[in-house]
Amino acid sequence: MNRRHLLANGVALAATSVVLGNADATASVQRPPATRLPPPNDIAEVLHRVAGHWVGAHDDSGDNKWANATFFSGLLALQRMTKNLRYLRYAHEWAEKHDYGLNAGPTTRHADNQCAGQVYLDLYEIRRDRRKIEAIEACLHRMVYDDRPAKNDDWWWVDALHMAMPPFARLGRLREDQRYEEKLYRLYKHTKRSEGGPGLYHRDTGLWYRDKRFLPGHITSPSGKPVFWSRGNGWAAAGHVKTLKALPGGGRYVPEYRETLTRLVTAAARRQRRDGFWNVNLGDARHLPGPETSGTAFFVYATAYAIRTGLVDRATFLPIVARAWHGLVTKAVHRDGFLGYVQGIGDRPESSQPVTKDTTADFGVGAFLLAGTEVARLAR
C-alpha cells in the first residue's frame, strides 16, 4: 500500500459583478485569457484516473474518521455521475467494515465524527436499509432532543461546517422534522456570530477564520496580515453547498446560506492565483505562496455550484472555475492519477509544509472528485 506522503431563487449580490482582482494578491494580476471547460467526457476521464489510483493503492479502505469520510463523499458523488459499480462496492465494503458506525460512537457531539454520516446517507439513498443510518440518526437525535439541546457551541472551528451541517440538513428533510434544521442553524449561528466573541465569519470580506485563535489581535501572518486559511474556507464553502443541496428551496434559513456562500466564492475569486490555484493563506499572498489542491478543489466545487444555481454571474465566474480546473488537471494530477499539492492534516497555512507535487491525502482526493462532478455538470 503506497500512500506517497499521505498525511506525513438565487441570491445575486451586487458583489457578483465585481472586477476580479486584488492589489494584495499579486499572483492574481494580469491573468491569461479565460479558458473554456473541457468536454464532460474529458472531465470524467480525469476523475476516473484519480479515483482509480486511490482505490487501487488502498486495498484497506481505511477508518471512518472525517478525512477518509470526505474521500468517500467525493467517490460517491462520482459514482452517482458515472454509475461505476467498482466505486459503489468499495464504499459499501468500507461502510460494512465499520458497521455504519461513527468514530467515538453514537453519543459523540464532535462534528468530525459525524462526517461519516454523509456517506451512510448517500448509501441509504441508493438502497434504503435503516441500519445504514441508525448511528448517525441516533447521534444527531440526541443533540436535537436529549443531550443538552440548548448547547450550541460545539462547532468552534470552521471545518465543522462541512463535517456536520449536511447530516443535520439531510436527516431533517428525511424525517420531515424541522427541529433538525433549527438545531443546525443555532449551531451555525454560534460559529458564525458568537464563537470567540465576534464569531468566525469576517463580515467585511466574506471569509472565515479557522477558529478563535486567528481572530483580530491574535495569530497573523509573518507580515502582520490576517490568516484566512484556504482549506478552512474551503470546508465552509463545501458545507454550505451540501446543506443547500439538502434543504428545500423555501427553507427558512436558505437565503442566509445562499448569501454567505455567494460572498465566500466572490471573495475567493478575488484571490485566485494566475495559475488557477489558491494559496494556503487567502489573507496574505506572500505567506507560503504556492499551489494547494484541497482548498482549490473546494473553491471549484462551490463556485461551480454557485454558477449552476444562479447565485453568481456565469460570464464572470466561469473563467475562475475553468482556470482552476485547468491548473488542477495539468499540475496536480500525475499521469497515473496520483493527486499532488495537497496540504496534509492541519489547522493553518504552516501545517504539513512543504506542500509539493508528491503530497496527497484522502480528503484532498475527495475534494477533487466533488469539484469535478460539479464542473462536469457545468460543461454539459
Side-chain angles (χ1 to χ4, degrees):
M1 187 185 306
N2 179 17
R3 291 190 175 242
R4 299 179 65 178
H5 300 258
L6 169 59
L7 304 184
N9 162 99
V11 176
L13 299 180
T16 61
S17 62
V18 70
V19 175
L20 299 178
N22 182 357
D24 184 52
T26 55
S28 300
V29 177
Q30 296 179 344
R31 290 182 178 134
T35 57
R36 295 182 179 180
L37 293 176
N41 286 345
D42 290 357
I43 296 169
E45 185 279 325
V46 175
L47 293 174
H48 283 308
R49 189 154 31 107
V50 171
H53 181 278
W54 187 270
V55 173
H58 297 84
D59 292 334
D60 182 345
S61 57
D63 61 35
N64 62 349
K65 298 179 182 179
W66 65 268
N68 205 32
T70 301
F71 162 73
F72 279 101
S73 176
L75 186 70
L76 285 179
L78 179 59
Q79 193 277 329
R80 287 191 294 274
M81 184 179 93
T82 64
K83 310 304 180 188
N84 186 297
L85 291 179
R86 181 191 185 196
Y87 305 150
L88 181 58
R89 285 195 297 269
Y90 192 67
H92 184 262
E93 289 168 4
W94 168 78
E96 289 286 339
K97 169 184 171 182
H98 296 290
D99 197 24
Y100 298 92
L102 305 179
N103 183 55
T107 62
T108 184
R109 295 181 66 99
H110 201 288
D112 284 353
N113 296 329
Q114 294 162 351
C115 189
Q118 298 184 39
V119 186
Y120 302 149
L121 283 158
D122 287 342
L123 292 170
Y124 178 82
E125 288 180 359
I126 294 170
R127 184 174 180 181
R128 296 202 167 198
D129 178 347
R130 185 177 176 84
R131 181 174 70 95
K132 296 177 180 178
I133 59 172
E134 281 180 347
I136 186 61
E137 185 165 15
C139 178
L140 301 193
H141 186 277
R142 289 184 78 256
M143 289 183 68
V144 172
Y145 285 96
D146 303 319
D147 181 15
R148 297 163 288 168
K151 174 177 164 55
N152 297 312
D153 60 355
D154 295 272
W155 298 352
W156 53 264
W157 73 117
V158 73
D159 315 31
L161 302 184
H162 169 266
M163 311 305 172
M165 283 179 73
F168 273 97
R170 293 174 69 176
L171 272 171
R173 186 80 181 273
L174 179 65
R175 299 304 181 209
E176 298 181 341
D177 188 340
Q178 184 66 24
R179 291 196 187 185
Y180 283 88
E181 188 175 344
E182 295 293 335
K183 178 64 173 178
L184 159 59
Y185 184 73
R186 292 197 302 273
L187 290 159
Y188 171 81
K189 184 172 70 171
H190 174 88
T191 307
K192 187 177 186 180
R193 299 177 184 158
S194 302
E195 176 62 28
L200 303 184
Y201 182 63
H202 189 253
R203 294 171 178 82
D204 291 344
T205 61
L207 298 173
W208 294 74
Y209 295 104
R210 196 272 177 177
D211 57 61
K212 66 183 180 181
R213 296 171 300 165
F214 299 89
L215 290 169
H218 298 280
I219 296 173
T220 62
S221 75
S223 60
K225 294 182 179 179
V227 175
F228 294 112
W229 185 37
S230 178
R231 188 165 66 239
N233 279 272
W235 288 130
H240 281 78
V241 170
K242 290 182 175 183
T243 300
L244 286 169
K245 286 186 174 188
L247 292 176
R252 179 178 178 184
Y253 305 110
V254 164
E256 181 176 343
Y257 297 146
R258 286 174 173 161
E259 180 178 356
T260 305
L261 177 62
T262 302
R263 294 200 67 215
L264 178 50
V265 299
T266 301
R270 293 190 183 111
R271 293 160 172 81
Q272 188 180 33
R273 291 160 47 96
R274 182 182 175 88
D275 61 5
F277 284 85
W278 278 266
N279 290 321
V280 289
N281 183 5
L282 304 180
D284 186 345
R286 295 176 178 84
H287 184 196
L288 295 166
E292 199 285 308
T293 292
S294 63
T296 297
F298 280 131
F299 291 139
V300 171
Y301 176 57
T303 307
Y305 171 84
I307 294 169
R308 184 173 60 79
T309 56
L311 297 180
V312 297
D313 177 65
R314 183 182 182 95
T316 303
F317 283 83
L318 190 61
I320 304 298
V321 171
R323 269 192 296 272
W325 185 251
H326 178 76
L328 287 166
V329 170
T330 59
K331 191 163 189 173
V333 178
H334 297 206
R335 288 185 179 181
D336 63 357
F338 179 89
L339 184 71
Y341 291 104
V342 178
Q343 183 186 19
I345 285 178
D347 61 3
R348 65 189 74 194
E350 292 86 354
S351 300
S352 300
Q353 292 288 346
V355 176
T356 73
K357 63 183 179 65
D358 293 317
T359 56
T360 196
D362 40 12
F363 56 83
V365 176
F368 180 83
L369 300 180
L370 288 167
T373 57
E374 279 296 323
V375 172
R377 297 181 75 174
L378 281 184
R380 290 174 186 167

